[in-house]
Amino acid sequence: MIRIMDLHKTFVDGEGENRILQGINLTIHDHEFTTIMGPSGCGKSTLLNIAALLTEPTSGSVYFDDQLVNFKKEKSLEQLRRNKIGLIFQNANLINCLTVLENVILPMNSGLSNKVKKSTALELLDMVGISNKSKNNVKSLSGGEAQRVAIVRALVNNPKVLLCDEPTGALDSDNSSKVMELLLETRKRTQCALVIVTHDKEIGNLGERKIVLRGGEILGVENDFQAV
Ligand SMILES: Nc1ncnc2c1ncn2[C@@H]1O[C@H](COP(=O)(O)OP(=O)(O)OP(=O)(O)O)[C@@H](O)[C@H]1O
Ligand SMILES: [Mg+2]
């Protein structure tokens, strides 16, 4: 579904060029569960942000469903992001002045009626055990609850792929397990592909495909993450 070919990303600052990604080739297949590990600063988030079509590569190609992505065409990028990609970060990044329900409804496709939007949102919130808090302001949620809302928000338009950047990084072990369970169950239910960047070896080892990123390159696809 997402094919990345000979990808390079270089950041330029006052001190010169910083070559972060150096010739990445990676295919994310439909329904596949991929985990990505690697030392801090090796470019995991940069790679995920490029796969999420949020960051333009310095060179190389990204194909989404066999179509070459043109990073200059903001409108088509926007459409792909909205309809095909679900994004989850370490922090829930909810909009503080809105309720739980409003946060979930906000990214929904504008073609839907308000009634459909509301019932879909409530159904999804119910699935993660949080519909009783739909009218609450998101500021009142715990970290684990907020992350569950963020997952629901990422799912509203039935994405083909869920890209997660350290989705449990800010949670205690109990909430971390719950969020992982939810992500795995979501993949099963919706048949989406799942990509998780993590520093947690236990989570990393759950992946069907485990990718090690180091020194700007994919070092290999590991049986387990002992070596990271
Ligand atoms: N927008 C940017 N401008 C300049 N440098 C950047 C930018 N984004 C990332 N970098 C640099 O690129 C490198 C890789 O960053 P990235 O966030 O991808 O690492 P990471 O593997 O996700 O690390 P971590 O595990 O700590 O989250 C870092 O040295 C970072 O400072
Ligand atoms: Mg990161």
Side-chain angles (χ1 to χ4, degrees):
M1 175 202 324
I2 302 178
R3 192 151 43 97
I4 287 171
M5 292 173 76
D6 197 23
L7 182 85
H8 291 252
K9 182 68 187 178
T10 301
F11 291 110
V12 183
D13 61 20
E15 288 168 20
E17 286 192 345
N18 208 352
R19 291 165 188 261
I20 303 301
L21 300 175
Q22 302 184 50
I24 300 281
N25 292 294
L26 172 66
T27 302
I28 294 160
H29 301 282
D30 286 358
H31 193 49
E32 195 173 37
F33 174 24
T34 306
T35 48
I36 302 175
M37 295 195 80
S40 186
C42 72
K44 302 180 296 299
S45 296
T46 305
L47 177 59
L48 208 74
N49 284 340
I50 292 172
L53 315 182
L54 289 169
T55 300
E56 184 175 1
T58 306
S59 67
S61 321
V62 179
Y63 291 83
F64 201 104
D65 282 343
D66 293 326
Q67 297 269 323
L68 180 64
V69 173
N70 182 342
F71 281 86
K72 303 288 180 216
K73 285 196 173 163
E74 188 48 48
K75 210 167 172 194
S76 65
L77 290 180
E78 221 282 313
Q79 265 185 358
L80 278 172
R81 282 189 219 119
R82 179 178 281 263
N83 295 313
K84 308 271 184 170
I85 300 170
L87 260 182
I88 294 160
F89 300 99
Q90 182 168 351
N91 295 307
N93 297 323
L94 301 173
I95 298 174
N96 265 336
C97 57
L98 300 180
T99 65
V100 168
L101 188 67
E102 287 163 346
N103 264 278
V104 174
I105 286 177
L106 194 67
M108 282 187 183
N109 274 324
S110 50
L112 303 169
S113 72
N114 286 340
K115 205 173 157 194
V116 169
K117 284 183 182 176
K118 191 174 168 188
S119 64
T120 308
L122 285 172
E123 213 173 285
L124 285 166
L125 286 167
D126 200 31
M127 230 176 264
V128 303
I130 222 166
S131 56
N132 59 332
K133 302 212 167 173
S134 65
K135 289 186 180 142
N136 289 25
N137 190 291
V138 294
K139 274 186 277 188
S140 70
L141 300 178
S142 72
E145 288 170 340
Q147 195 62 321
R148 277 186 271 159
V149 175
I151 292 173
V152 164
R153 183 184 55 178
L155 293 175
V156 290
N157 295 325
N158 293 316
K160 285 190 75 178
V161 59
L162 259 187
L163 301 172
C164 313
D165 195 354
E166 300 189 46
T168 63
L171 303 177
D172 62 25
S173 64
D174 191 32
N175 275 304
S176 171
S177 312
K178 281 190 189 149
V179 161
M180 274 312 297
E181 244 170 63
L182 178 60
L183 289 172
L184 294 176
E185 179 207 295
T186 297
R187 167 177 170 256
K188 217 169 171 185
R189 184 171 48 82
T190 68
Q191 297 288 302
C192 67
L194 180 61
V195 181
I196 298 184
V197 166
T198 184
H199 283 288
D200 182 327
K201 277 188 194 155
E202 233 173 84
I203 294 174
N205 281 327
L206 294 173
E208 290 171 336
R209 200 150 60 115
K210 308 170 186 65
I211 286 168
V212 181
L213 197 64
R214 190 176 291 171
E217 293 177 80
I218 289 180
L219 271 193
V221 180
E222 302 278 313
N223 288 328
D224 60 45
F225 278 123
Q226 298 308 327
V228 177

